[in-house]
Structures are given as structure tokens and as C-alpha cells.
Amino acid sequence: MPARPGKAALFEQFAADGITHMFGNPGTVEQGFLDLAGAGATRYVLALHESVAVAMADGYARAAQRPSVVQLHSGVGLGNAAGMLYQAKRGGSPLVALVGEAGVRYDAMDAQMAADLVAMAAPVTKYATRVLDPSSVLRVLRRAVKIAMTPPRGPVLVVLPADVLDQDTAESAVATLVPSLRAVPEPAAVAEAARLLTSGTAPLVLMGDGIAASGAQRQLTAVAERLGAPVWGVNSSEVNFDTTHPLFAGNLGHMSGADSARVVGGADTVLIAGTYVFPEVFPSLANPFAPGARIVHIDADAYEIAKNFPVDLGLAGDPALALGALGAELASRGGAAPARPAAPRRPHGPHGPHGPHGRDGQQGRDGRDGQHGQHGRDGRQGREGLMEAFARELAARAPANLAVFDEALTASPALTRHLPPRVPGTYFQTRGGSLGVGIPGAIGVKLARPDLQVVGFTGDGASMYTVQALWTAARYGVSAGFVVCNNRRYRLLDLNIERYWQEQGIAPHAYPDAFDLSRPEIRFADLARSLGVAGQRVDAPEQVGPAVHAMLTHDGPYLVDLVTG
């Protein structure tokens, strides 16, 4: 291969791996390779903040099921991106983050922006490394793609010193080989799993995003039907199980282990598939499963099996193949159970469906967010009814190719009540704990899947973390809809502190002023227009229909400021 600068070979490797987009925010130390960004087949997508770039790349990777590339600027850019990288790590998104730095030659200088970037990235990535020699630029890039895409998937970071990229390399750009780990457990282990799971009378299935990553939805459904077991989502942010299926019971929360314990404590046989247990902020230190319960855990990530609580049998392998084998074994034993409706065993914590910064909760079969229902207890039923009306209208007008990115938080139950997640690849929920993924995540989904009509929902507080993403949508003409569920406060924090008061024996009183977002009022439609995005404010029922129509038919990005409080 003829020698050429590493900065040019970089784009040849992107082309070999079919990488068509690079999300980023530029800086001086990356100027060498960004100077070449317009010449190749990889499109540079400019974001105005690194968290936006990572969230777009995360949405892209989730929708495309392929690696996405994000460029970050040195230590300051990596610092800005850390929260969203954590989200990608918790969610298993195959991101490759390229971080520029001035050069290896300056290591001894402790100069401006100098930092140990690999050490900074270690807690929020699956793997982090630094290229030190030009003859290994492409070798390390291929390794990064391989590691990001090999189950369990996750973000990988590569530090690219400018002086290394400026030097020549004779490496060939060839497609990265991602090894297949799609192994099925041995027949004896599968038979033992079937024996354990049919040994009781109160079965339960706990599932998560490992199902979607493996494409195991059909196999999981067959096993649940054979067992006649209610199915609960644990770390479930995609379509892992049809939520209209009579066995679907709801999603556990991400706040208190006591809530999960109330669900799992009555089961005498438990199948855990494609998830770890339990992803809570305040997990139970005591084993929440019933004494004597028989537990089988299937996951592609052996680390997660029996990580926190003992199980009777752990099967490390591809969930689709393992569940397929388990379903066949159960069928051979006969006695298929009818798909009876799941009991409405909703946890009773006062939390919304899914949220970050300690704002997580759970959504049960009835779709309400905690013990006060979707309207809370502060007399705002009329305004919050707009979310119900908007979701109903969107469902009535929704095209067959509608995809939803759901960061609606406390408004999510109304959304999923009218648009229940059913089809894989058309529903993506926030995960991992980072606020602000709704708008940029929807942009990433739309860029990965231009055939989909994408609508992203976010909260008023969450949107302000990454509202600059609207500018990127306008710049590139991304025809997606965005809905800001505007209750003028961090409503989920209200619900969480109510529970805290109850647990601590504190009398209810006024919420902390820090939870209020109404002073001054944020006019999201005006803000969107200042960033080049058309939009409108909806604060009355008669405005809902026209707003939904405008959002679905507008040529370009469109934002609805939906006032729910």
C-alpha cells in the first residue's frame, strides 16, 4: 500500500467499514484530519456541543445496529461528553469515539489541555487506548470497531495525537472482522434449564435489551408462552417484547430495589434473559427472590450472570439461540400453557417510567407513573390531559413507519398507552441516566433510518441539556419531529421526594424551589425558531390536532412545545 498520512488513511478505513457519518465538534488539535473530512464518503455532522454529538451517535448506532463514530476535542471535549458516553456504556451502544490531542512529542511538557485521556475515559467506555505510532493507526481503529461491536457491545475510545496522524503509514485499509459469538448452550444445560423452569407453579420472566441486541424477541415470546409466565422489562429501553401481548406485565423501575422485590418475591421459578438484575439507584442488598426459587439466567455477557444474586443455572451465550433451544426443549416436554394475561402487579413507588439523575421509576401494566397516576396530586389534570390528547392524536395519524424516541419521562405512560412499543427498531427509550438524549437521539435515528418517520419526545428540563441539537437538525434538513413535554419543572423529582418524605417520616411540604423551571418561562417554540427549526406552542386541546398534522407533514425539523403543567 502506498504510504500516505495517517489522517488520510483514517478515512479510507471508515470507507472500508461502511462508516458514512462522523458526529463531532471540532477543535484545533483535530484540524489536520478534519481538513480532509469533506473529501471522502464519510459525512461530518456538526454538533454545537460534545454531548449532542455523542447522543446523536448513540441514536444512530441503536437504529442502524452498526458502529457509529464521534469526534471529540481533547480533554475538554471528552469531559463534556462523559455523561453521554456513560449512557452509551450502560446501554451497550457500539460507538467509536476519536479524541484528538496535540501530540506525543509534548508528553513531558504538561502543556495547555494536556490530560491522561485514556484514564479519563476508562469509567465510561468499554475500552480506551492511544495510538503512539503511525504504522498502527488503522490497526487500532479496526480493533476499536471490533471491540465496540463484539457482545456485550459498548463505546470504545481512541486517542489520536496530531503528530502521529501527520506521519505516513503504509497500512492497508480493510474491513474490520467482528467475531461471531453466537453460541448455543450444550443440550444438557438447556434440558436442565427447562427442568428448573417447569418445576414450579408461579413462573416469572425478566428481560432486557440483550433481547433486542440479539434479535431474540420471537424466541423469548415462545418461551414465555410455553411457561405461561408474566414478562417484566428490567433494563428494557427497546422493543424486547410486544407490550400489547397478554403476558407483558410492565417495566420495573430504576430507583428502589424494594419495588423490584415486590414483583419478583412471589415467583418460584424465574427466567432472566438479556439483562442484569437489578439496575436501580438504590438496589436491595438482600436477595429479593423468594427462598427456594429456581432461577435461570441467560445472557451474552457472562459478567452479568449471577453478578449480584445467586442463580441455579447460568447460560452464557447468544440469547436468540439459547432461548430458541430452550423453547424447543419445552415444546418437546409438552404441556404448553395458554398466554394468560399478566397480573397487574405494579410496583408502588411514586416514580415516572424512566429517567436520569436519580429520577428513575417504573411503569406497570396499567401504564400509570406511580401511586398518584399520570396527573400527580397537584390539580393539573387539565393541562396534563394535553399529553394524553396529543398521544391519542399522534396514534390516530401515525404512519406505519413511525419510530419514537422516548425521553418523555413522567409523560411517557400516556405516550406508550396510545403508541405501545411493538415492532423492533421503532421504539427507543432513554437509558443509562443522562438527561437530554431525546432530541439528538431522534436525529441520530433519522440519519440512520431515513425511511422512518421519527418523532422524539423529551421533557422541558431534559431538553435544555442538548437543545443545541435543533441547530444541527436545521443545518442538515433532518425531517424529524420533536415534542417537548413542558410541565415547567422537574416533575419526576417531585414524585421521588414525596417517596423520600414518606420513607423518612417527614410531613409533606412545598417542593424544593430548585425543582421549578417556570421562572423565567422557557418558550421552546421561539427557542427552536432561533435555531432554525419551525414549531408551535400547544396549550389548549383545540391546538392538538393541527400541531400533530403540522409536525408529521412539515418538510424539515419541527418542534411542538406541549404545555402539560
Side-chain angles (χ1 to χ4, degrees):
M1 187 74 185
R4 70 283 193 214
K7 61 190 178 185
L10 191 77
F11 291 95
E12 296 174 13
Q13 187 60 48
F14 291 164
D17 282 328
I19 293 171
T20 58
H21 294 75
M22 177 166 58
F23 304 88
N25 181 261
T28 301
V29 295
E30 299 87 24
Q31 60 193 357
F33 76 83
L34 292 181
D35 193 33
L36 305 176
T42 302
R43 180 187 191 189
Y44 188 86
V45 180
L46 176 62
L48 299 182
H49 192 275
E50 289 85 356
S51 63
V52 173
V54 175
M56 287 192 294
D58 179 68
Y60 185 99
R62 293 177 71 177
Q65 288 296 294
R66 289 182 48 78
S68 61
V69 171
V70 59
Q71 168 265 319
L72 303 173
H73 173 52
S74 195
V76 290
L78 175 57
N80 286 340
M84 287 299 178
L85 284 172
Y86 179 82
Q87 165 121 341
K89 183 182 181 182
R90 278 294 184 185
S93 292
L95 273 60
V96 176
L98 306 179
V99 184
E101 67 167 19
V104 176
R105 73 181 75 178
Y106 304 115
D107 276 7
M109 302 299 292
D110 191 24
Q112 177 76 353
M113 294 196 300
D116 186 343
L117 302 179
V118 172
M120 283 180 64
V124 293
T125 57
K126 181 181 177 183
Y127 175 76
T129 190
R130 184 184 186 214
V131 180
L132 297 175
D133 187 273
S135 62
S136 289
V137 170
L138 302 193
R139 178 181 292 111
V140 172
L141 282 177
R142 286 192 295 272
R143 184 181 303 159
V145 171
K146 182 192 75 170
I147 293 173
M149 285 295 293
T150 301
R153 295 174 177 175
V156 171
L157 182 134
V158 178
V159 180
L160 296 174
D163 57 359
V164 173
L165 290 185
D166 284 340
Q167 298 177 60
D168 284 351
T169 180
E171 294 177 282
S172 296
V174 297
T176 299
L177 173 67
V178 179
S180 174
L181 299 183
R182 303 205 74 173
V184 61
E186 61 179 346
V190 174
E192 176 64 4
R195 185 190 70 80
L196 290 169
L197 293 171
T198 55
S199 64
T201 58
L204 180 72
V205 173
L206 303 174
M207 58 78 183
D209 284 341
I211 300 300
S214 174
Q217 293 91 341
R218 177 177 57 83
Q219 293 88 340
L220 176 65
T221 302
V223 167
E225 290 174 348
R226 284 284 173 186
L227 297 173
V231 177
W232 283 88
V234 180
N235 198 42
S236 183
S237 65
E238 298 194 4
V239 180
N240 300 298
F241 193 86
D242 183 349
T243 61
T244 66
H245 192 287
L247 286 175
F248 181 71
N251 289 315
L252 298 181
H254 287 208
M255 183 57 62
S256 172
D259 296 326
S260 297
R262 280 191 286 270
V263 169
V264 306
D268 57 11
T269 60
V270 181
L271 170 62
I272 307 169
T275 185
Y276 66 102
V277 290
F278 290 92
E280 297 132 348
V281 177
F282 303 108
S284 173
L285 297 177
N287 192 332
F289 296 102
R294 303 297 183 91
I295 304 172
V296 175
H297 195 163
I298 297 173
D299 202 87
D301 187 357
Y303 170 75
E304 298 295 354
I305 295 174
K307 180 177 72 174
N308 292 322
F309 305 109
V311 303
D312 293 277
L313 180 64
L315 302 179
D318 178 74
L321 297 180
L323 289 168
L326 177 58
E329 178 67 24
L330 291 170
S332 72
R333 294 170 179 243
R340 65 176 182 267
R345 295 181 293 171
R346 178 172 54 85
H348 299 294
H351 310 297
H354 199 101
H357 294 287
R359 307 170 196 187
D360 307 278
Q362 59 284 313
Q363 178 184 350
R365 178 99 185 139
D366 64 1
R368 294 180 296 159
D369 60 327
Q371 63 188 6
H372 302 308
Q374 76 174 77
H375 304 309
R377 61 181 194 183
D378 54 5
R380 293 181 294 174
Q381 288 89 340
R383 277 284 176 80
E384 293 201 344
L386 285 180
M387 182 62 202
E388 194 83 33
F390 192 93
R392 183 186 302 110
E393 186 71 18
L394 179 58
R397 295 174 180 259
N401 64 338
L402 179 71
V404 169
F405 201 107
D406 179 7
E407 194 190 26
L409 304 176
T410 53
S412 183
L415 176 62
T416 55
R417 192 158 38 245
H418 294 284
L419 287 164
R422 300 193 64 189
V423 179
T426 62
Y427 177 80
F428 307 91
Q429 192 177 44
T430 180
R431 58 190 181 184
S434 299
L435 276 179
V437 71
I439 293 175
I443 295 171
V445 171
K446 181 64 177 180
L447 289 173
R449 294 287 309 277
D451 57 303
L452 296 177
Q453 175 115 31
V454 179
V455 178
F457 286 80
T458 185
D460 49 341
S463 69
M464 291 304 296
Y465 283 70
T466 55
V467 72
Q468 310 97 311
L470 293 172
W471 181 89
T472 299
R475 180 183 179 93
Y476 298 103
V478 179
S479 290
F482 309 102
V483 181
V484 178
C485 304
N486 182 4
N487 58 20
R488 306 180 190 183
R489 60 187 303 106
Y490 292 121
R491 176 60 179 151
L492 202 47
L493 290 184
D494 293 346
L495 302 178
N496 287 344
I497 203 169
E498 286 178 11
R499 178 169 189 167
Y500 174 77
W501 291 336
Q502 184 180 33
E503 291 173 346
Q504 298 295 318
I506 299 172
H509 52 277
Y511 299 122
D513 187 62
F515 297 178
D516 173 71
L517 298 176
S518 66
R519 307 187 315 274
E521 185 173 20
I522 304 170
R523 307 289 295 195
F524 287 99
D526 295 341
L527 183 55
R529 281 189 286 272
S530 76
L531 295 169
V533 173
Q536 67 182 95
R537 182 181 176 92
V538 173
D539 56 11
E542 62 272 15
Q543 298 168 341
V544 168
V548 171
H549 175 76
M551 181 181 69
L552 293 178
T553 59
H554 183 75
D555 184 15
Y558 195 89
L559 180 138
V560 174
D561 178 6
L562 185 63
V563 181
T564 61

PDB file of all heavy atoms in Angstrom, residues 306-324:
ATOM      1  N   ALA A 306     -25.485 -13.876  37.520  1.00  0.00           N
ATOM      2  CA  ALA A 306     -25.281 -14.058  38.969  1.00  0.00           C
ATOM      3  C   ALA A 306     -24.348 -13.011  39.550  1.00  0.00           C
ATOM      4  O   ALA A 306     -23.688 -13.258  40.564  1.00  0.00           O
ATOM      5  CB  ALA A 306     -24.753 -15.464  39.269  1.00  0.00           C
ATOM      6  N   LYS A 307     -24.304 -11.826  38.952  1.00  0.00           N
ATOM      7  CA  LYS A 307     -23.414 -10.780  39.431  1.00  0.00           C
ATOM      8  C   LYS A 307     -23.771 -10.327  40.839  1.00  0.00           C
ATOM      9  O   LYS A 307     -22.890 -10.113  41.678  1.00  0.00           O
ATOM     10  CB  LYS A 307     -23.454  -9.579  38.477  1.00  0.00           C
ATOM     11  CG  LYS A 307     -22.558  -8.422  38.897  1.00  0.00           C
ATOM     12  CD  LYS A 307     -22.585  -7.290  37.880  1.00  0.00           C
ATOM     13  CE  LYS A 307     -23.889  -6.524  37.905  1.00  0.00           C
ATOM     14  NZ  LYS A 307     -23.861  -5.346  37.010  1.00  0.00           N
ATOM     15  N   ASN A 308     -25.050 -10.162  41.115  1.00  0.00           N
ATOM     16  CA  ASN A 308     -25.487  -9.628  42.408  1.00  0.00           C
ATOM     17  C   ASN A 308     -26.196 -10.641  43.292  1.00  0.00           C
ATOM     18  O   ASN A 308     -26.138 -10.529  44.520  1.00  0.00           O
ATOM     19  CB  ASN A 308     -26.401  -8.421  42.183  1.00  0.00           C
ATOM     20  CG  ASN A 308     -25.662  -7.235  41.601  1.00  0.00           C
ATOM     21  OD1 ASN A 308     -24.517  -6.984  41.962  1.00  0.00           O
ATOM     22  ND2 ASN A 308     -26.300  -6.511  40.688  1.00  0.00           N
ATOM     23  N   PHE A 309     -26.883 -11.612  42.691  1.00  0.00           N
ATOM     24  CA  PHE A 309     -27.645 -12.584  43.469  1.00  0.00           C
ATOM     25  C   PHE A 309     -27.433 -13.975  42.881  1.00  0.00           C
ATOM     26  O   PHE A 309     -27.294 -14.124  41.664  1.00  0.00           O
ATOM     27  CB  PHE A 309     -29.140 -12.229  43.469  1.00  0.00           C
ATOM     28  CG  PHE A 309     -29.417 -10.831  43.945  1.00  0.00           C
ATOM     29  CD1 PHE A 309     -29.837  -9.849  43.060  1.00  0.00           C
ATOM     30  CD2 PHE A 309     -29.231 -10.478  45.276  1.00  0.00           C
ATOM     31  CE1 PHE A 309     -30.072  -8.548  43.485  1.00  0.00           C
ATOM     32  CE2 PHE A 309     -29.468  -9.180  45.712  1.00  0.00           C
ATOM     33  CZ  PHE A 309     -29.893  -8.222  44.816  1.00  0.00           C
ATOM     34  N   PRO A 310     -27.424 -15.004  43.706  1.00  0.00           N
ATOM     35  CA  PRO A 310     -27.183 -16.364  43.194  1.00  0.00           C
ATOM     36  C   PRO A 310     -28.285 -16.812  42.241  1.00  0.00           C
ATOM     37  O   PRO A 310     -29.450 -16.415  42.365  1.00  0.00           O
ATOM     38  CB  PRO A 310     -27.190 -17.224  44.468  1.00  0.00           C
ATOM     39  CG  PRO A 310     -26.975 -16.272  45.599  1.00  0.00           C
ATOM     40  CD  PRO A 310     -27.579 -14.974  45.167  1.00  0.00           C
ATOM     41  N   VAL A 311     -27.902 -17.650  41.283  1.00  0.00           N
ATOM     42  CA  VAL A 311     -28.858 -18.297  40.392  1.00  0.00           C
ATOM     43  C   VAL A 311     -28.552 -19.788  40.397  1.00  0.00           C
ATOM     44  O   VAL A 311     -27.461 -20.222  40.786  1.00  0.00           O
ATOM     45  CB  VAL A 311     -28.800 -17.728  38.960  1.00  0.00           C
ATOM     46  CG1 VAL A 311     -29.041 -16.228  38.964  1.00  0.00           C
ATOM     47  CG2 VAL A 311     -27.478 -18.055  38.269  1.00  0.00           C
ATOM     48  N   ASP A 312     -29.512 -20.580  39.941  1.00  0.00           N
ATOM     49  CA  ASP A 312     -29.311 -22.026  39.907  1.00  0.00           C
ATOM     50  C   ASP A 312     -28.586 -22.477  38.652  1.00  0.00           C
ATOM     51  O   ASP A 312     -27.877 -23.487  38.677  1.00  0.00           O
ATOM     52  CB  ASP A 312     -30.668 -22.729  40.002  1.00  0.00           C
ATOM     53  CG  ASP A 312     -31.324 -22.509  41.348  1.00  0.00           C
ATOM     54  OD1 ASP A 312     -30.977 -23.240  42.303  1.00  0.00           O
ATOM     55  OD2 ASP A 312     -32.152 -21.592  41.458  1.00  0.00           O
ATOM     56  N   LEU A 313     -28.771 -21.740  37.557  1.00  0.00           N
ATOM     57  CA  LEU A 313     -28.126 -22.117  36.309  1.00  0.00           C
ATOM     58  C   LEU A 313     -27.862 -20.860  35.494  1.00  0.00           C
ATOM     59  O   LEU A 313     -28.769 -20.046  35.288  1.00  0.00           O
ATOM     60  CB  LEU A 313     -29.027 -23.068  35.510  1.00  0.00           C
ATOM     61  CG  LEU A 313     -28.479 -23.551  34.155  1.00  0.00           C
ATOM     62  CD1 LEU A 313     -27.219 -24.385  34.356  1.00  0.00           C
ATOM     63  CD2 LEU A 313     -29.537 -24.346  33.404  1.00  0.00           C
ATOM     64  N   GLY A 314     -26.641 -20.692  35.042  1.00  0.00           N
ATOM     65  CA  GLY A 314     -26.284 -19.569  34.184  1.00  0.00           C
ATOM     66  C   GLY A 314     -25.848 -20.070  32.830  1.00  0.00           C
ATOM     67  O   GLY A 314     -24.999 -20.960  32.724  1.00  0.00           O
ATOM     68  N   LEU A 315     -26.429 -19.500  31.781  1.00  0.00           N
ATOM     69  CA  LEU A 315     -26.103 -19.893  30.407  1.00  0.00           C
ATOM     70  C   LEU A 315     -25.551 -18.675  29.684  1.00  0.00           C
ATOM     71  O   LEU A 315     -26.287 -17.740  29.357  1.00  0.00           O
ATOM     72  CB  LEU A 315     -27.342 -20.427  29.682  1.00  0.00           C
ATOM     73  CG  LEU A 315     -28.034 -21.637  30.326  1.00  0.00           C
ATOM     74  CD1 LEU A 315     -29.261 -22.029  29.504  1.00  0.00           C
ATOM     75  CD2 LEU A 315     -27.080 -22.806  30.457  1.00  0.00           C
ATOM     76  N   ALA A 316     -24.238 -18.663  29.447  1.00  0.00           N
ATOM     77  CA  ALA A 316     -23.613 -17.576  28.710  1.00  0.00           C
ATOM     78  C   ALA A 316     -23.626 -17.936  27.232  1.00  0.00           C
ATOM     79  O   ALA A 316     -22.975 -18.898  26.815  1.00  0.00           O
ATOM     80  CB  ALA A 316     -22.184 -17.361  29.200  1.00  0.00           C
ATOM     81  N   GLY A 317     -24.370 -17.184  26.467  1.00  0.00           N
ATOM     82  CA  GLY A 317     -24.492 -17.461  25.051  1.00  0.00           C
ATOM     83  C   GLY A 317     -25.410 -16.469  24.392  1.00  0.00           C
ATOM     84  O   GLY A 317     -25.947 -15.560  25.036  1.00  0.00           O
ATOM     85  N   ASP A 318     -25.607 -16.643  23.117  1.00  0.00           N
ATOM     86  CA  ASP A 318     -26.480 -15.747  22.371  1.00  0.00           C
ATOM     87  C   ASP A 318     -27.928 -15.955  22.825  1.00  0.00           C
ATOM     88  O   ASP A 318     -28.441 -17.085  22.788  1.00  0.00           O
ATOM     89  CB  ASP A 318     -26.357 -16.045  20.880  1.00  0.00           C
ATOM     90  CG  ASP A 318     -27.263 -15.175  20.056  1.00  0.00           C
ATOM     91  OD1 ASP A 318     -26.954 -13.985  19.905  1.00  0.00           O
ATOM     92  OD2 ASP A 318     -28.297 -15.681  19.572  1.00  0.00           O
ATOM     93  N   PRO A 319     -28.610 -14.888  23.274  1.00  0.00           N
ATOM     94  CA  PRO A 319     -29.983 -15.084  23.763  1.00  0.00           C
ATOM     95  C   PRO A 319     -30.939 -15.687  22.735  1.00  0.00           C
ATOM     96  O   PRO A 319     -31.785 -16.511  23.092  1.00  0.00           O
ATOM     97  CB  PRO A 319     -30.405 -13.664  24.160  1.00  0.00           C
ATOM     98  CG  PRO A 319     -29.134 -12.993  24.548  1.00  0.00           C
ATOM     99  CD  PRO A 319     -28.116 -13.528  23.573  1.00  0.00           C
ATOM    100  N   ALA A 320     -30.814 -15.295  21.464  1.00  0.00           N
ATOM    101  CA  ALA A 320     -31.723 -15.840  20.455  1.00  0.00           C
ATOM    102  C   ALA A 320     -31.541 -17.346  20.316  1.00  0.00           C
ATOM    103  O   ALA A 320     -32.517 -18.114  20.281  1.00  0.00           O
ATOM    104  CB  ALA A 320     -31.508 -15.142  19.123  1.00  0.00           C
ATOM    105  N   LEU A 321     -30.291 -17.798  20.227  1.00  0.00           N
ATOM    106  CA  LEU A 321     -30.042 -19.226  20.072  1.00  0.00           C
ATOM    107  C   LEU A 321     -30.372 -19.990  21.351  1.00  0.00           C
ATOM    108  O   LEU A 321     -30.948 -21.083  21.300  1.00  0.00           O
ATOM    109  CB  LEU A 321     -28.585 -19.458  19.675  1.00  0.00           C
ATOM    110  CG  LEU A 321     -28.147 -18.877  18.323  1.00  0.00           C
ATOM    111  CD1 LEU A 321     -26.684 -19.176  18.065  1.00  0.00           C
ATOM    112  CD2 LEU A 321     -29.017 -19.421  17.193  1.00  0.00           C
ATOM    113  N   ALA A 322     -30.002 -19.433  22.501  1.00  0.00           N
ATOM    114  CA  ALA A 322     -30.278 -20.112  23.766  1.00  0.00           C
ATOM    115  C   ALA A 322     -31.777 -20.227  24.018  1.00  0.00           C
ATOM    116  O   ALA A 322     -32.274 -21.294  24.418  1.00  0.00           O
ATOM    117  CB  ALA A 322     -29.601 -19.370  24.912  1.00  0.00           C
ATOM    118  N   LEU A 323     -32.502 -19.138  23.793  1.00  0.00           N
ATOM    119  CA  LEU A 323     -33.956 -19.178  24.002  1.00  0.00           C
ATOM    120  C   LEU A 323     -34.632 -20.055  22.962  1.00  0.00           C
ATOM    121  O   LEU A 323     -35.643 -20.714  23.259  1.00  0.00           O
ATOM    122  CB  LEU A 323     -34.522 -17.767  23.966  1.00  0.00           C
ATOM    123  CG  LEU A 323     -34.161 -16.885  25.169  1.00  0.00           C
ATOM    124  CD1 LEU A 323     -34.526 -15.436  24.904  1.00  0.00           C
ATOM    125  CD2 LEU A 323     -34.849 -17.382  26.438  1.00  0.00           C
ATOM    126  N   GLY A 324     -34.099 -20.066  21.737  1.00  0.00           N
ATOM    127  CA  GLY A 324     -34.651 -20.955  20.722  1.00  0.00           C
ATOM    128  C   GLY A 324     -34.514 -22.410  21.132  1.00  0.00           C
ATOM    129  O   GLY A 324     -35.456 -23.214  20.994  1.00  0.00           O
TER     130      GLY A 324
END
